Amino acid sequence: MGTNDLFSKEIGSALRLGLLRGSTMGALRLGIHSRRRQLRPLLIDFLMLLVAGGATEAMSHLLNEPAMPVKWVTFFGVLVLALFGIRGMYSDRLRSHLLDEIRSIVSTTAVATMTVISLRVVLENDPYTAAQTAQTFILAAVGLSVGRTGLFIARARAISRGVGGRATLIVGAGRVGQLVAKRMMDRSEFGLRPVGFLDNDPLEIEGAAVDLPVLGASWDLERVLEENEVEHVVFTFSTAPHAVMLSMVRRCRELGVSASLVPRLFEVSVERVSVEHLGGLPLLEMRPIDPKGLQFLVKYAIDRVVAGIAVILISPILISIAAAVLITSGRPIFFRQRRIGLDGQEFDMLKFRTMKGSPEASGHNHGHWVFETLDAGNSLIAEPNGNGNGNGNVLVNGNGNGNGNGHHEHELVTVGEPEAAVSTATLEETAEETVDTAEEDRRTPIGRILRRYSLDELPQLLNVLRGDMSLIGPRPELGTFVRLFEEAVHRYGDRHRVKSGITGWAQVHGLRGNTSLTDRVEWDNFYIENWSLWLDMKIAVMTIGSLLRWRED
């Protein structure tokens, strides 16, 4: 088919998509799953508010105080549900984070509480107004949070069993479409299950990351949606004309199928966006955080205060671990390793020793790091002494701890394509006497426990107090590898705009150890450009939950 014929067919499909309305039953069938998902949280919230109302009445009787009038309890509940709806808490979202849900619940119920108190003060003269309404607020916030937590856990379990994920169609089978599909398959927690691509002229990609079929072209949209029971559509980059893409988006809306669009400049991952208009033309104004601005100065000050308090509170634990290391391994108690932090500056990162041998004499652990480019087959390698002369392996005096706790596994680096996935090479642990000695054989008994529960990382609180590190930020890397990664991995050097952290946004999402370096860099830069105190608090809470997943067997 010639280019002109293809273009004409595309425009014809746009006209058909714009004019045809399809069957009412088809639209209802495609949108019914979305309505069910929206109904579940509404029913849960309604039940939790009923429970909170009953608990308020019971507590009033126990305290022998007048109960809050039923009319105001009812008004409070209706107002909360209405505010939830206004804030979009019953609409389909790709991923709803539990901590964000709880924060929204607390803030929304607080607004409802203040509204009720204000109205009662104006309309009534009841001395128990504040106490009764505050009691209702606390019970409602707790009940709603428990209900949403249960819903979140049930959804996560269903997705982990391979059910409950929304069938998702990807428009555009090029590199960005492939990247979107791979992310969906790698991160099932988003609840999106890709079923295939829609593209009339799919790009031939050698060694494609995913093996999904091309289900049709733009004029097959409605058929593909119905046959595959698609609930969500992601529009990436395609050769289809603008009018066709616009018509497909509108048709999805008419059929009750939710849709997402990958922006043209998707690498600019900034959440603080305001929309201005030039007539009917929208302009997105992005406001990224300045790593050199006042916000990060406040962050670093808070880091030092929190680290100081933490050191004082856990000093008995630190002293006990230090004594155990001294008894089982002798001196030195701490292992020091040069890492790269803010603005490329080197610093000594501290850990408790967990391995046999003398770090000064032979290195706490020797590692052979093998780097190969996936697209060109060229190796990024250095001398065994770490001087980087390019003829073999990199031999590092390390603690076996690279981007996480207890092991340092490195990446095969892809050059050229920023969005290409980077896989991890196998780390061969060697001892001074025997090349094949495994890392686990060199751990001390106390070292196994420390690394299992990440307790060997606790001395990095001292790094935070000294100003070398932050509590939360990108994990620091060895200088030898930083120089290689900066040349091979897109935007790797941007991680050094802020201080390195003990934990970070990438780590709490499982991107550590044997994971994609490009993904890790992407998540680290997202953290920097969208930083807030709430984001740090969320990462801190998520870190506690992640420790069980991080521990080594």
Side-chain angles (χ1 to χ4, degrees):
M1 181 181 294
T3 303
N4 292 334
D5 293 337
L6 183 60
F7 184 80
S8 299
K9 191 169 185 179
E10 289 280 9
I11 295 298
S13 70
L15 293 174
R16 289 197 300 275
L17 284 170
L19 295 174
L20 292 176
R21 290 293 177 265
S23 66
T24 303
M25 290 303 295
L28 289 174
R29 184 168 60 253
L30 289 171
I32 192 169
H33 295 294
S34 175
R35 295 184 182 90
R36 285 177 178 174
R37 281 193 307 273
Q38 295 171 7
L39 186 60
R40 289 192 197 105
L42 177 60
L43 290 176
I44 293 293
D45 290 343
F46 178 74
L47 291 174
M48 289 299 102
L49 286 170
L50 285 180
V51 172
T56 301
E57 182 78 19
M59 186 169 291
S60 297
H61 286 301
L62 289 175
L63 298 175
N64 198 24
E65 294 179 353
M68 185 173 178
V70 175
K71 63 179 180 180
W72 288 111
V73 174
T74 304
F75 177 74
F76 174 82
V78 172
L79 183 59
V80 168
L81 294 177
L83 291 174
F84 278 5
I86 292 172
R87 295 194 62 170
M89 295 182 67
Y90 299 122
S91 59
D92 279 333
R93 284 175 285 181
L94 293 187
R95 187 187 182 192
S96 179
H97 198 284
L98 179 59
L99 294 178
D100 290 330
E101 290 270 334
I102 293 175
R103 182 178 68 161
S104 296
I105 287 170
V106 173
S107 61
T108 303
T109 50
V111 171
T113 300
M114 290 185 288
T115 302
V116 171
I117 290 176
S118 300
L119 290 175
R120 290 189 68 185
V121 169
V122 172
L123 300 176
E124 298 179 347
N125 184 20
D126 190 339
Y128 295 98
T129 293
Q132 290 174 346
T133 313
Q135 183 183 89
T136 303
F137 158 68
I138 294 172
L139 292 174
V142 171
L144 290 167
S145 298
V146 170
R148 287 294 180 117
T149 301
L151 194 64
F152 181 86
I153 293 174
R155 179 175 179 268
R157 287 180 176 176
I159 292 174
S160 66
R161 294 195 304 267
V163 298
R166 288 192 279 173
T168 303
L169 177 68
I170 302 171
V171 177
R175 294 189 182 277
V176 177
Q178 289 278 336
L179 177 62
V180 169
K182 184 177 185 302
R183 292 290 171 83
M184 291 180 188
M185 298 173 74
D186 290 345
R187 308 199 70 84
S188 60
E189 67 268 22
F190 285 93
L192 299 179
R193 176 174 51 83
V195 296
F197 298 102
L198 198 71
D199 200 326
N200 69 289
D201 187 20
L203 179 66
E204 293 292 336
I205 301 177
E206 185 177 354
V210 295
D211 185 19
L212 289 174
V214 177
L215 300 175
S218 57
W219 48 84
D220 300 311
L221 173 65
E222 191 163 342
R223 174 185 62 79
V224 172
L225 292 178
E226 293 199 31
E227 289 180 356
N228 295 275
E229 298 184 349
V230 173
E231 301 176 57
H232 188 76
V233 179
V234 177
F235 289 86
T236 66
F237 304 160
S238 172
T239 58
H242 174 78
V244 173
M245 296 289 283
L246 185 59
S247 296
M248 286 194 289
V249 173
R250 288 172 175 168
R251 188 59 181 143
C252 288
R253 187 186 308 162
E254 292 169 357
L255 293 171
V257 178
S258 59
S260 301
L261 298 95
V262 177
R264 179 64 59 180
L265 302 178
F266 65 90
E267 294 91 347
V268 185
S269 55
V270 178
E271 288 190 332
R272 294 174 178 85
V273 177
S274 61
V275 182
E276 302 291 343
H277 289 85
L278 291 176
L281 180 66
L283 298 178
L284 303 181
E285 181 183 356
M286 291 163 286
R287 300 186 302 275
I289 288 291
D290 180 12
K292 305 298 182 184
L294 178 62
Q295 300 98 323
F296 273 86
L297 292 179
V298 173
K299 166 184 167 62
Y300 297 148
I302 294 175
D303 282 338
R304 289 190 172 188
V305 171
V306 173
I309 295 173
V311 168
I312 293 173
L313 292 178
I314 66 172
S315 56
I317 298 176
L318 294 174
I319 293 172
S320 299
I321 294 175
V325 173
L326 180 63
I327 294 171
T328 58
S329 303
R331 294 181 182 274
I333 295 173
F334 295 116
F335 171 75
R336 301 172 185 268
Q337 191 176 65
R338 301 294 285 176
R339 296 293 179 97
I340 303 297
L342 176 65
D343 294 331
Q345 299 297 314
E346 289 190 346
F347 68 95
D348 287 329
M349 190 177 76
L350 301 176
K351 289 176 178 285
F352 283 119
R353 285 183 61 200
T354 61
M355 309 282 284
K356 300 174 183 177
S358 170
E360 291 81 5
S362 60
H364 201 55
N365 180 38
H366 290 181
H368 290 286
W369 302 100
V370 183
F371 299 92
E372 298 176 1
T373 55
L374 298 181
D375 56 345
N378 297 321
S379 296
L380 298 174
I381 51 180
E383 282 282 337
N385 60 9
N387 293 328
N389 293 327
N391 68 341
N393 299 314
V394 177
L395 187 61
V396 181
N397 285 338
N399 192 25
N401 290 304
N403 295 312
N405 307 322
H407 62 287
H408 192 156
E409 294 174 300
H410 245 299
E411 308 290 338
L412 290 174
V413 184
T414 302
V415 176
E417 289 294 335
E419 67 220 32
V422 179
S423 61
T424 304
T426 303
L427 171 62
E428 299 176 4
E429 297 294 346
T430 62
E432 186 178 29
E433 298 80 11
T434 308
V435 174
D436 294 328
T437 301
E439 175 187 340
E440 289 76 14
D441 295 335
R442 298 180 54 214
R443 296 178 189 174
T444 62
I446 188 65
R448 289 178 180 272
I449 298 174
L450 295 181
R451 292 173 66 174
R452 182 178 180 85
Y453 297 101
S454 302
L455 297 175
D456 61 323
E457 305 283 348
L458 290 179
Q460 288 165 36
L461 290 171
L462 302 177
N463 285 118
V464 177
L465 279 175
R466 283 169 22 181
D468 298 329
M469 295 179 65
S470 173
L471 291 174
I472 297 169
R475 287 294 294 168
E477 186 55 89
L478 293 164
T480 303
F481 302 123
V482 166
R483 289 187 290 273
L484 296 173
F485 291 158
E486 285 180 337
E487 296 177 1
V489 181
H490 181 56
R491 297 191 68 197
Y492 183 85
D494 290 352
R495 302 167 74 250
H496 300 135
R497 291 176 289 171
V498 299
K499 291 182 180 180
S500 302
I502 298 177
T503 185
W505 188 235
Q507 280 67 41
V508 296
H509 285 88
L511 292 171
R512 59 184 302 278
N514 189 22
T515 56
S516 166
L517 181 60
T518 49
D519 287 354
R520 198 178 309 166
V521 169
E522 178 185 330
W523 286 68
D524 285 338
N525 284 315
F526 173 88
Y527 164 79
I528 296 170
E529 291 162 358
N530 295 278
W531 176 84
S532 66
L533 285 176
W534 166 248
L535 183 56
D536 270 3
M537 291 173 61
K538 186 160 66 171
I539 293 173
V541 173
M542 292 173 68
T543 298
I544 297 174
S546 297
L547 284 175
L548 293 178
R549 296 196 300 270
W550 287 1
R551 69 188 186 192
E552 297 180 53
D553 297 326

